[in-house]
Amino acid sequence: MSGQSLLVPGELSPTRSVPGNIRRPEYVGKPAPTPYTGPEVQTPETIEAMRHAGRIAAQAMAEAAKLIAPGVTTDELDKVAHDYMCDHGAYPSTLGYRGFPKSLCTSVNEVICHGIPDSTVLRDGDIINLDVTAYVGGVHGDNNATYLVGDVDEESRLLVERTRESLNRAIKAVRPGRQINIIGRVIESYAKRFGYGVVRDFTGHGINSSFHSGLIIPHYDSPHATTVIQPGMTFTIEPMLTLGTHEYDMWDDGWTVVTKDRKRTAQFEHTLVVTETGAEILTLP
């Protein structure tokens, strides 16, 4: 594995503003969102709105990813995604969610998820996950992907490639009538072939007008995930695989989650709607 030194928190830039004409999610300015009490199966109108939100989130992530290179700060990536979403009438869902201070998550190397963009400078050989969610039309679209920074070692490159493949396999396993735990079973069985850890305490989730509806999508074979998949359900799958343990520590910022052994980790995510025969990806650019 790469011999890069471990990450340390950087300096935060001032909070970015969102034009006043852009609709905010209800949780902005509050300590927590209002719990979701609606259905997990969505109407065709909501699904169509989520296609639009998902497309903007995917395009914002792609625009930020174009900037990824040694010497670029994670805050610069945040600005690109923030500006893209605002320019397209969308609110960056993470900004102000439970107090999160930025418009996307940037998780580098040993950071599993929820890294906060700051003055951290990307280095040749790093890997970085961008997690972007857009809120527009009253709904959210959520996606993430892990990218290579410059010349990355083979072990890390394979981790990224196989994590993407685990998501693809999980999406193909989605079928009406199956239980949610088929998703984690597919991911875990694939990850075990390479000796990877599968993060358990951070999961996929239901998503619609709510950022996190309460539906939980484990990425391991959980005996408790017995909810039956139905057409019209909308949720994310976002496996987090590690080169070592699935256990984690959290930084003092209350957000940044790192592997306990500080080995590298990768993640990929799409927002899906269940169809009569499988699943449609809503977060495609």
Side-chain angles (χ1 to χ4, degrees):
M1 189 184 77
S2 169
Q4 300 279 48
S5 58
L6 298 179
L7 292 171
V8 295
E11 296 295 323
L12 287 180
S13 65
T15 302
R16 293 192 162 87
S17 61
V18 177
N21 65 321
I22 292 178
R23 179 178 172 183
R24 271 75 168 152
E26 58 83 23
Y27 53 74
V28 174
K30 296 164 53 177
T34 302
Y36 179 72
T37 56
E40 297 297 346
V41 173
Q42 304 304 310
T43 65
E45 293 76 20
T46 296
I47 293 166
E48 184 56 36
M50 290 181 67
R51 282 193 188 94
H52 179 60
R55 205 155 38 235
I56 290 175
Q59 291 168 338
M61 184 173 73
E63 286 302 307
K66 290 177 182 177
L67 199 65
I68 291 173
V72 172
T73 68
T74 55
D75 187 67
E76 290 175 89
L77 303 177
D78 181 79
K79 184 180 187 305
V80 172
H82 176 94
D83 289 348
Y84 187 93
M85 285 185 273
C86 292
D87 288 347
H88 289 80
Y91 185 92
S93 300
T94 61
L95 184 61
Y97 179 78
R98 296 183 182 271
F100 192 86
K102 292 295 175 182
S103 297
L104 81 163
C105 300
T106 50
S107 300
V108 180
N109 295 345
E110 69 268 21
V111 180
I112 295 171
C113 58
H114 304 159
I116 300 174
D118 58 17
S119 62
T120 297
V121 177
L122 295 178
R123 302 161 296 181
D124 188 58
D126 283 343
I127 60 174
I128 179 172
N129 179 274
L130 304 184
D131 193 339
V132 181
T133 309
Y135 178 79
V136 63
V139 296
H140 301 268
D142 185 4
N143 68 164
N144 77 55
T146 302
Y147 299 89
L148 310 180
V149 184
D151 185 17
V152 175
D153 67 274
E154 180 76 354
E155 186 179 38
S156 299
R157 187 187 62 76
L158 286 173
L159 173 69
V160 171
E161 180 182 302
R162 290 164 176 167
T163 305
R164 181 192 293 110
E165 176 63 15
S166 76
L167 172 60
N168 293 338
R169 289 175 179 234
I171 292 171
K172 290 176 183 176
V174 174
R175 293 282 187 283
R178 291 179 171 177
Q179 294 181 341
I180 288 291
N181 58 14
I182 186 65
I183 294 168
R185 189 174 307 139
V186 166
I187 292 168
E188 187 173 43
S189 64
Y190 180 70
K192 279 184 174 179
R193 288 167 50 181
F194 310 105
Y196 295 154
V198 180
V199 173
R200 291 171 167 247
D201 293 323
F202 300 90
T203 68
H205 53 87
I207 184 170
N208 37 67
S209 59
S210 172
F211 196 171
H212 300 86
S213 72
L215 177 66
I216 294 173
I217 312 294
H219 302 121
Y220 65 99
D221 188 2
S222 169
H224 306 295
T226 56
T227 299
V228 175
I229 298 170
Q230 302 176 60
M233 291 176 74
T234 49
F235 53 80
T236 72
I237 303 176
E238 45 188 297
M240 292 150 264
L241 305 186
T242 73
L243 289 175
T245 183
H246 68 269
E247 297 179 343
Y248 68 92
D249 293 321
M250 186 174 288
W251 283 4
D252 292 342
D253 60 25
W255 284 105
T256 306
V257 179
V258 297
T259 54
K260 186 170 281 290
D261 57 12
R262 303 303 190 265
K263 291 186 177 180
R264 288 188 168 188
T265 175
Q267 181 183 18
F268 284 83
E269 174 187 25
H270 276 304
T271 295
L272 312 172
V273 60
V274 181
T275 67
E276 295 293 338
T277 58
E280 175 194 345
I281 298 172
L282 297 178
T283 38
L284 291 175

